[in-house]
Amino acid sequence: MADKRVCKTCKEAKDLNEDNFRLRKSGRNKGRFERQCRTCENKSRSQRRRHKPLEECNSNYTFESQVKTEITKDDLTGTLTANITSVGVPVDPIEFLENQGIDTEKYTLTGGKLKCWTSPMKLRNEKGEEVPSAIKNFSVSAAIAPKKIDPIEFGLQEYQWSPPQSRHKSCDRKSIDHETVLVFPDSHFGYRSVNGQLVPTHDPDILEASLKFVDAINPHRIIFLGDTMDFPEFGRHPHGIDVKGHTSKSLEAAISFFHDLREITDCPIDVLEGNHDKRPISFIQEEIKKLAEVPGLKIELPSLSRMLGFKDKNITYHSDPTEEGWDAYSSGNNIFDHRGVLYLHGEKCGKDAVIKTMNHYMQSVCMGHIHKSVCIPKVVPVIKNGRRSYKTIWAISPGFIGSLDTVLPAPGAERDYQQGLTLINHINKSGDWHEVDTIPTPIHIVNKNIFYSGELYAT
Ligand SMILES: [Zn+2]
Ligand SMILES: [Zn+2]
């Protein structure tokens, strides 16, 4: 069956070919089909030109045209206003702006006015006698504003899905003296080559085993440490296989995973932004730089939360790390402090990065990004009520839940990654959640098997 595409304007599904959709000849989307079908595209083009005077302004005389123009620019909104007055011939403002070297494809017509009036004038006939006559005048003013860039143009879709009925309900819980947090490390949905074919899920067996594990332990909260997606299409690493057009398939795989997870539990889920999750945003920000000549250009950045439809599903997305601070991924909104443990994605590699981060904050930290399993305690002194005592803080990294036999992040990169999850138990002894004991348990995944408390969880 032929590939179909739904036109973003008329919403009709049409065969994906050049008869129905125009092929882009230049720009970033070069070689891709437009998202609007040819019929709608032609319609909007003819609408743009509808200000052109036709019959009612037809002039019986031909004169050499005299065109007076003025183009003003609002620097704040980027709106261009062109005022054109012409004698004898009407002027299409869009065509006029194009002739001025303005790429009107980047703009939308936001207003336009056409005036047409007759003024008396005298012409002489062959005998040299004066003949009372009239001349047509035209005046056009048009305002065009910079177009809004839609991430969907870059193949980034916004998903909506309804959460299913969950088997385990948070409201059924009675315990208030302990809390179990299950931490998922980097999953890097998307981009794995199996016999030369791209598959959107990295390690489906581990994901399935993890879901069985969630069902069995029924955690109070689940935290994802970032790099949920891989997004190779927007990355800077060269790839041995063509990853073009793979993004939507991996997004769908991730949504289906979160849907399955919601089928099990309705507990709060936190998802941190990782450097890979941010790739489409960085890419579009680069595109903005290219479009710098269009002031006021409005761009909605493709947050992973929108792309995975997290809204209203009790899934909180922690993103937008500031570029300042100790490092870009352990500052700002991208640190989630829960019961004294700092959850962050991190941006430095190697197991030492977790220990350094713990020493930097002098607090327990749970970090992704390094793809290695770490769980190291440190005893530190604390002064309480003027007395010196000790507490244990932890450097934790669950590992990786992507596949080990892949080229990630790039061909040739070190990839002795370790698969695993981590359970963090908080025990509230004094009735005050500020005073808790934190007990992390690393859960190693070996040969696609999860062992915990004498049980095996596997596909
Ligand atoms: Zn990362
Ligand atoms: Zn990662």
Side-chain angles (χ1 to χ4, degrees):
M1 214 180 73
D3 267 359
K4 297 232 180 231
R5 164 161 293 176
V6 178
C7 165
K8 72 172 182 186
T9 308
C10 66
K11 314 278 184 242
E12 253 179 68
K14 299 183 175 182
D15 285 349
L16 194 60
N17 57 39
E18 271 221 70
D19 288 340
N20 293 329
F21 296 91
R22 196 163 55 84
L23 203 61
R24 281 263 197 148
K25 297 275 188 311
S26 61
R28 142 84 191 155
N29 285 332
K30 188 178 172 190
R32 287 197 197 174
F33 288 104
E34 290 291 349
R35 302 194 68 86
Q36 194 181 34
C37 71
R38 277 188 189 267
T39 319
C40 292
E41 211 176 34
N42 292 340
K43 219 185 273 172
S44 54
R45 195 163 287 162
S46 68
Q47 263 170 17
R48 279 201 324 198
R49 290 168 204 278
R50 71 168 185 265
H51 303 285
K52 200 171 186 171
L54 294 168
E55 289 76 28
E56 75 276 20
C57 285
N58 262 345
S59 173
N60 298 324
Y61 299 94
T62 46
F63 295 95
E64 210 172 296
S65 69
Q66 295 166 27
V67 183
K68 268 200 284 178
T69 59
E70 193 195 11
I71 299 178
T72 50
K73 190 167 166 186
D74 180 341
D75 278 338
L76 208 67
T77 61
T79 304
L80 294 177
T81 311
N83 286 302
I84 309 156
T85 313
S86 73
V87 177
V89 277
V91 174
D92 178 343
I94 299 293
E95 237 164 50
F96 175 79
L97 290 169
E98 273 168 6
N99 289 340
Q100 301 293 303
I102 293 163
D103 183 357
T104 54
E105 287 284 305
K106 290 175 186 163
Y107 289 86
T108 324
L109 188 67
T110 56
K113 255 190 228 153
L114 167 81
K115 276 194 217 151
C116 170
W117 71 97
T118 312
S119 46
M121 70 173 296
K122 284 169 187 165
L123 287 178
R124 285 180 194 278
N125 61 17
E126 308 92 62
K127 291 177 196 159
E129 296 159 347
E130 272 192 3
V131 182
S133 190
I135 185 172
K136 300 278 183 188
N137 300 281
F138 301 94
S139 136
V140 184
S141 92
I144 58 171
K147 256 186 196 167
K148 197 169 136 184
I149 284 201
D150 185 351
I152 289 170
E153 282 180 24
F154 295 88
L156 302 164
Q157 301 183 39
E158 195 168 330
Y159 284 88
Q160 283 304 322
W161 51 280
S162 319
Q165 283 289 325
S166 309
R167 271 200 294 289
H168 301 297
K169 301 243 183 267
S170 308
C171 56
D172 296 340
R173 292 184 185 287
K174 291 186 181 67
S175 168
I176 48 151
D177 57 1
H178 79 277
E179 188 192 59
T180 305
V181 178
L182 176 61
V183 192
F184 277 84
D186 309 35
S187 54
H188 289 264
F189 272 96
Y191 182 39
R192 184 182 170 222
S193 168
V194 173
N195 304 327
Q197 293 278 316
L198 273 183
V199 294
T201 315
H202 247 270
D203 198 334
D205 294 338
I206 284 192
L207 295 175
E208 203 186 318
S210 312
L211 290 174
K212 281 187 182 169
F213 185 61
V214 175
D215 203 1
I217 61 160
N218 188 16
H220 291 76
R221 181 180 281 272
I222 299 173
I223 300 174
F224 287 83
L225 294 177
D227 282 0
T228 303
M229 307 303 300
D230 191 68
F231 286 139
E233 202 174 346
F234 300 95
R236 61 195 152 86
H237 298 295
H239 292 283
I241 31 178
D242 189 13
V243 292
K244 279 221 168 1
H246 192 56
T247 301
S248 62
K249 280 186 196 150
S250 13
L251 286 168
E252 276 159 25
I255 287 158
S256 136
F257 173 77
F258 281 100
H259 190 273
D260 292 350
L261 186 61
R262 270 281 167 258
E263 231 167 33
I264 298 169
T265 172
D266 71 345
C267 76
I269 297 176
D270 296 276
V271 179
L272 273 70
E273 181 181 74
N275 49 314
H276 278 257
D277 304 316
K278 219 193 160 194
R279 278 177 165 186
I281 294 180
S282 317
F283 172 83
I284 288 184
Q285 279 167 338
E286 276 301 309
E287 290 292 305
I288 298 171
K289 279 183 208 152
K290 286 187 208 150
L291 294 171
E293 78 272 23
V294 186
L297 187 74
K298 285 189 190 63
I299 294 175
E300 235 178 297
L301 292 173
S303 146
L304 192 66
S305 174
R306 278 176 61 208
M307 289 193 277
L308 296 185
F310 283 168
K311 207 173 162 248
D312 310 325
K313 294 178 183 74
N314 203 15
I315 301 179
T316 311
Y317 191 58
H318 303 265
S319 67
D320 192 25
T322 56
E323 293 300 324
E324 296 149 26
W326 189 56
D327 70 46
Y329 276 88
S330 52
S331 57
N333 296 328
N334 214 40
I335 290 190
F336 175 49
D337 182 342
H338 184 67
R339 310 242 186 268
V341 178
L342 300 179
Y343 294 87
L344 50 106
H345 180 69
E347 65 157 9
K348 304 261 161 44
C349 296
K351 63 182 187 327
D352 293 347
V354 201
I355 299 162
K356 281 182 186 156
T357 310
M358 170 185 71
N359 289 340
H360 176 79
Y361 289 105
M362 267 303 156
Q363 236 179 294
S364 294
V365 294
C366 184
M367 199 173 114
H369 191 68
I370 64 168
H371 302 183
K372 285 188 203 293
S373 176
V374 177
C375 190
I376 298 168
K378 177 175 175 142
V379 176
V380 292
V382 279
I383 308 291
K384 206 172 149 191
N385 303 330
R387 288 178 60 189
R388 187 186 175 91
S389 68
Y390 294 89
K391 73 168 184 179
T392 308
I393 59 172
W394 296 88
I396 308 162
S397 175
F400 185 50
I401 49 165
S403 171
L404 298 180
D405 64 348
T406 187
V407 280
L408 189 144
E414 177 200 16
R415 45 181 151 122
D416 52 340
Y417 298 149
Q418 297 154 357
Q419 293 175 320
L421 305 166
T422 296
L423 266 182
I424 299 184
N425 277 286
H426 297 291
I427 298 161
N428 166 357
K429 289 186 292 197
S430 58
D432 177 2
W433 274 110
H434 294 287
E435 287 281 326
V436 290
D437 273 354
T438 298
I439 306 162
T441 310
I443 317 279
H444 305 292
I445 306 175
V446 181
N447 295 330
K448 301 181 190 291
N449 293 322
I450 301 176
F451 293 99
Y452 177 70
S453 196
E455 293 284 341
L456 164 68
Y457 304 91
T459 45

